[in-house]
Amino acid sequence: MDSLFNIIIYGFGMIFSFGLFIVSLFSYKNSKNKKIFFVSIILFVFFIKFILLSTSIFYPRLENILSISILSIFDLIMLALLFLAILIKS
Amino acid sequence: MDDILELETRRKIYDLISKNPGLHLSKISELLKMRISLVEYHMRYLEKHDIVTVDKKTGFSRYFLKGKVETKTKHYSILRQKTILSIIFFLIKHDTARHKDILENIDCAPSTLSYHLNKLIKYNIIEVQRYGEMRGYKIINRDEIINYLIRYKPFDLFEGFTDIWTEINI
């Protein structure tokens, strides 16, 4: 039950982050705006995080590697990039 | 005014807004192939010197030439919103339509439709026509709206995405 819940959550997370990543890439292609470039990287990191989480369901060995601290690093990277995206002038 | 527009860049921006009133920063930057920060800098200069005016009613900064713009044209910028644009397209095709008919063809909740219709009435874009107990909605100046829609690009997903992030600043 717990595993099914994880599959659904990680699956949706992966699809949404990939969709938004594609939108951000096209937006960057059109605008060449540095802010959008950072947002694209954030969404890409998000996508990678969800890929790793989804994969860990099928490869338990990966689940051991993906500790809370490793996942926190991903979050920290995303927060730092978000901060840069807000800070940077277009 | 010529002194202020002496710089070629400013003249380019001025000419672009003159031809396309209601453009926003990212679009100007895209069309002129200039950095947004540079466009923003020039816009601030032009605004300070009363050459352009900014409209923030739609949530985004849209630029118009000062003195040349009618209030009505400014209001047309709400037509860039997807649902409103769909309503207008429907009314262009059907001349006069009831709330029920529009609702059947537009993907939104009845309350949202009423909200948008009231907004369009408030901005004098559409009017209510009564036939006995029935009420229909009609575009006031159909030709003008069609001309506006020919000149302006409707909502674009990627443009919208860029606008949202560009507006976030410290």
Side-chain angles (χ1 to χ4, degrees), chain A residues 23-24 26-27 30-31 33 35-36 39 43 82 86-88 90, chain B residues 29-30 36-37 40 156-159 161-162 165-166 168-170:
Chain A
V23 171
S24 69
F26 277 103
S27 301
N30 292 341
S31 68
N33 187 328
K35 264 181 195 283
I36 308 297
V39 176
L43 291 165
L82 187 62
I86 294 170
L87 196 72
I88 208 161
S90 314
Chain B
S29 144
E30 186 192 323
I36 285 196
S37 54
E40 202 176 5
D156 178 89
L157 176 69
F158 308 125
E159 221 174 78
F161 188 91
T162 308
W165 285 97
T166 316
I168 301 175
N169 276 310
I170 291 178

Side-chain angles (χ1 to χ4, degrees), chain A residues 36-75:
Chain A
I36 308 297
F37 178 69
F38 279 101
V39 176
S40 299
I41 302 172
I42 295 167
L43 291 165
F44 181 69
V45 177
F46 232 113
F47 177 55
I48 296 293
K49 184 184 165 184
F50 274 110
I51 284 181
L52 290 174
L53 286 169
S54 310
T55 316
S56 70
I57 298 171
F58 306 102
Y59 296 98
R61 248 195 294 173
L62 192 66
E63 200 175 16
N64 299 332
I65 301 166
L66 285 176
S67 59
I68 292 175
S69 50
I70 295 282
L71 293 174
S72 300
I73 291 172
F74 273 92
D75 295 337

Side-chain angles (χ1 to χ4, degrees), chain B residues 8-170:
Chain B
E8 200 193 352
T9 315
R10 282 183 197 145
R11 197 185 295 277
K12 272 185 193 169
I13 297 173
Y14 181 92
D15 288 342
L16 186 68
I17 300 171
S18 170
K19 282 176 197 155
N20 309 281
L23 283 181
H24 47 81
L25 275 184
S26 55
K27 195 69 194 171
I28 297 171
S29 144
E30 186 192 323
L31 291 171
L32 295 178
K33 293 187 172 53
M34 281 166 60
R35 277 180 293 122
I36 285 196
S37 54
L38 188 65
V39 177
E40 202 176 5
Y41 163 76
H42 287 303
M43 292 318 297
R44 248 186 269 132
Y45 186 94
L46 294 170
E47 209 186 326
K48 196 180 150 194
H49 288 84
D50 282 339
I51 293 165
V52 299
T53 180
V54 62
D55 173 30
K56 291 179 177 172
K57 269 180 208 158
T58 51
F60 302 119
S61 301
R62 300 199 180 280
Y63 293 91
F64 298 87
L65 290 188
K66 214 163 184 180
K68 276 196 174 181
V69 187
E70 288 175 31
T71 323
K72 212 188 233 178
T73 317
K74 266 190 185 181
H75 290 162
Y76 284 170
S77 56
I78 65 162
L79 302 184
R80 288 176 189 250
Q81 290 171 33
K82 205 180 172 184
T83 313
I84 290 184
L85 191 65
S86 311
I87 297 168
I88 290 296
F89 279 146
F90 185 80
L91 289 174
I92 285 173
K93 265 193 213 165
H94 297 85
D95 197 35
T96 305
R98 293 177 300 165
H99 185 282
K100 190 186 151 199
D101 301 325
I102 305 171
L103 193 63
E104 279 169 8
N105 291 277
I106 306 289
D107 186 25
C108 73
S111 56
T112 312
L113 178 63
S114 303
Y115 169 75
H116 286 313
L117 287 171
N118 286 332
K119 204 153 113 181
L120 288 167
I121 293 168
K122 190 182 142 196
Y123 287 153
N124 283 323
I125 293 171
I126 62 166
E127 62 184 356
V128 181
Q129 294 206 326
R130 291 172 200 278
Y131 307 96
E133 283 183 8
M134 294 217 289
R135 277 156 58 104
Y137 298 92
K138 188 184 178 178
I139 295 175
I140 294 174
N141 200 334
R142 195 171 174 270
D143 291 341
E144 205 174 281
I145 294 285
I146 290 172
N147 282 342
Y148 180 87
L149 293 174
I150 291 167
R151 278 184 289 143
Y152 299 98
K153 216 175 132 188
F155 175 81
D156 178 89
L157 176 69
F158 308 125
E159 221 174 78
F161 188 91
T162 308
D163 285 342
I164 289 166
W165 285 97
T166 316
E167 294 288 317
I168 301 175
N169 276 310
I170 291 178

